[in-house]
Amino acid sequence: MLYKELGKTGLNVSAVSFGALPLMRLQEADAVELLRAAYDAGINYFDTARHYQDSENKVGEAFKDVVREKIYIATKTYGRNRKDITSDLEESLSRLKTDYIDLYQLHNLREYPEAGSDYAIELYDTLLEAKKKGYIRHIGVTTHRFDVAQAALDSDVFETIMFPLSYLATDKEIAFTKECSAKGKGCIAMKALSGGLVRSIPAAYAFLNEEADVVPIWGMQRISELNEFIALEKAGVKLNEALWSEIKKDKEELAGNFCRGCAYCMPCPVGIEIEPANRMALFLGRTDTAIWLNDKGRARMDLIKECKECRQCVSRCPYELNVPETLKQNLKVYDEYYERYLREKA
């Protein structure tokens, strides 16, 4: 297993690191088995969050008997004031069965705290006090907004920045990883598979592995997925003409604004399942249509007709998508596929 230093934190983390969000979908015994298999394979960095339901509990259970210094645990808080951050931190420490957290991150920061404001002072003082007391070792931020990530570069508090990065990244986003390196910030890549829309895992792995200063966290929920990443790492897979061809094809198909599946737009007041519905046109063109062309899929998409144009989803979207409009576009594509499906079925 290759290891990379995460900025100037001194944490030498595995080049294949573990994103623990999918653990929410697993039974505890299966999650523990997967986490221990990852550890045995050389993975030493595990990223979770208070917001990930019982993910922290499963990480804590998996590593309760492991020498603590042999692994790095990162978690996150949606807290934005002393009370909420302190409460989240205490809960995380308890669930993770540990005395300290290696990297504690503000989760999905949407607006950068204005320097000198009461809000910023309370926020930073709380984090720095927790660090001084030894409850956390390092402080980071996660965000889907590029302007927030850019602002964090000059922070004296944040040591790491996590933001979406895949082979669909723009030149500006790739350049940002170099800025992180130049300023000693650890750069952590999330959404490396763009919420499942990136089809080539070898290409995704090779692309980010060539970014020497980037640490990608891969969301895993199956031993087979873990084994695939470990095999790619052991083989030292590099970008070649065939992989670049796959990347080019995906970039052409996914050009422009598209839903990344972060689900921050939800919940919808009328119950629309925005996250899958708003990517339906892409799913239908890139995955097995039988998964979607059924009664459940039809009912899910028909909910779009109930949209009240309240635009709450628009205000929450980190990518500033016109969600009501993109939902309608996805419904139109779905209708075309569904009508064809009914004709073929008849």
Side-chain angles (χ1 to χ4, degrees):
M1 176 66 67
L2 297 175
Y3 296 87
K4 300 180 178 182
E5 184 173 357
L6 188 55
K8 291 185 177 179
T9 63
L11 306 181
N12 287 306
V13 304
S14 47
V16 175
S17 288
F18 195 105
L21 184 150
L23 297 184
M24 300 186 300
R25 309 178 192 120
L26 302 182
Q27 295 297 317
E28 183 174 282
D30 295 331
V32 169
E33 179 185 8
L34 176 60
L35 288 162
R36 290 304 296 256
Y39 172 74
D40 290 341
I43 293 176
N44 69 351
Y45 183 73
F46 300 86
D47 180 275
T48 183
R50 284 289 304 112
H51 190 62
Y52 297 166
Q53 297 178 17
D54 62 353
S55 174
E56 287 182 327
N57 301 66
K58 292 164 179 172
V59 172
E61 183 64 24
F63 299 128
K64 63 182 180 181
D65 299 322
V66 170
V67 176
R68 182 63 180 84
E69 289 73 21
K70 290 189 175 182
I71 60 171
Y72 299 124
I73 296 176
T75 193
K76 315 178 190 76
T77 175
Y78 265 117
R80 298 294 187 261
N81 57 56
R82 184 178 301 277
K83 179 182 177 182
D84 291 344
I85 292 173
T86 301
S87 175
D88 270 2
L89 178 55
E90 290 174 352
E91 188 70 20
S92 289
L93 289 167
S94 175
R95 289 171 179 261
L96 289 164
K97 296 180 172 64
T98 184
D99 295 327
Y100 67 92
I101 291 164
D102 295 285
L103 176 62
Y104 199 57
Q105 303 158 103
L106 292 183
H107 197 168
N108 188 29
L109 195 63
R110 300 184 183 187
E111 294 183 1
Y112 196 79
E114 184 180 347
S117 67
D118 291 341
Y119 164 55
I121 291 171
E122 179 178 355
L123 187 66
Y124 296 150
D125 282 354
T126 303
L127 292 170
L128 291 171
E129 285 174 18
K131 184 177 181 180
K132 185 176 180 180
K133 291 177 180 178
Y135 296 130
I136 58 180
R137 298 288 174 87
H138 303 281
I139 301 168
V141 60
T142 82
T143 184
H144 287 257
R145 295 188 181 276
F146 190 76
D147 60 331
V148 174
Q150 195 77 41
L153 278 174
D154 295 319
S155 170
D156 293 329
V157 177
F158 299 128
E159 301 167 77
T160 65
I161 303 170
M162 180 192 294
F163 71 106
L165 188 68
S166 70
Y167 64 54
L168 301 174
T170 63
D171 291 343
K172 180 175 71 172
E173 290 165 337
I174 294 299
F176 176 75
T177 68
K178 311 304 181 188
E179 293 182 72
C180 286
S181 179
K183 296 196 174 184
K185 303 291 184 185
C187 182
I188 305 170
M190 62 169 156
K191 296 287 181 185
L193 298 177
S194 291
L197 294 178
V198 163
R199 289 180 291 193
S200 174
I201 290 179
Y205 167 84
F207 181 86
L208 288 178
N209 200 46
E210 290 199 2
E211 297 296 325
D213 301 309
V214 175
V215 173
I217 52 172
W218 303 100
M220 304 181 212
Q221 61 181 334
R222 298 181 182 87
I223 293 290
S224 59
E225 294 170 349
L226 168 66
N227 289 341
E228 182 171 10
F229 282 111
I230 297 302
L232 289 168
E233 196 279 331
K234 285 184 176 180
V237 173
K238 304 290 185 183
L239 284 174
N240 54 34
E241 187 175 341
L243 293 179
W244 271 119
S245 178
E246 293 187 54
I247 291 173
K248 182 180 178 181
K249 183 177 180 181
D250 272 356
K251 278 195 165 188
E252 289 173 350
E253 291 183 11
L254 296 171
N257 289 329
F258 65 94
C259 175
R260 271 75 168 179
C262 68
Y264 290 119
C265 54
M266 298 171 70
C268 168
V270 297
I272 300 170
E273 297 179 58
I274 301 173
E275 182 266 313
N278 210 23
R279 299 195 290 163
M280 187 57 65
L282 292 169
F283 284 142
L284 290 171
R286 302 165 71 82
T287 62
D288 181 3
T289 57
I291 300 171
W292 312 105
L293 298 179
N294 49 45
D295 291 344
K296 183 178 179 180
R298 179 74 266 180
R300 169 186 284 161
M301 297 304 290
D302 280 343
L303 278 172
I304 295 173
K305 300 172 185 176
E306 305 300 319
C307 176
K308 304 299 183 184
E309 302 272 351
C310 69
R311 302 186 71 79
Q312 290 184 30
C313 50
V314 176
S315 66
R316 296 174 186 150
C317 179
Y319 303 100
E320 301 179 349
L321 298 180
N322 184 345
V323 180
E325 183 58 34
T326 55
L327 282 172
K328 292 175 186 176
Q329 294 169 4
N330 277 272
L331 177 58
K332 181 179 179 181
V333 172
Y334 184 85
D335 286 344
E336 293 170 356
Y337 269 84
Y338 198 79
E339 288 172 9
R340 190 183 313 146
Y341 160 74
L342 290 177
R343 288 195 300 270
E344 294 173 354
K345 186 177 179 182

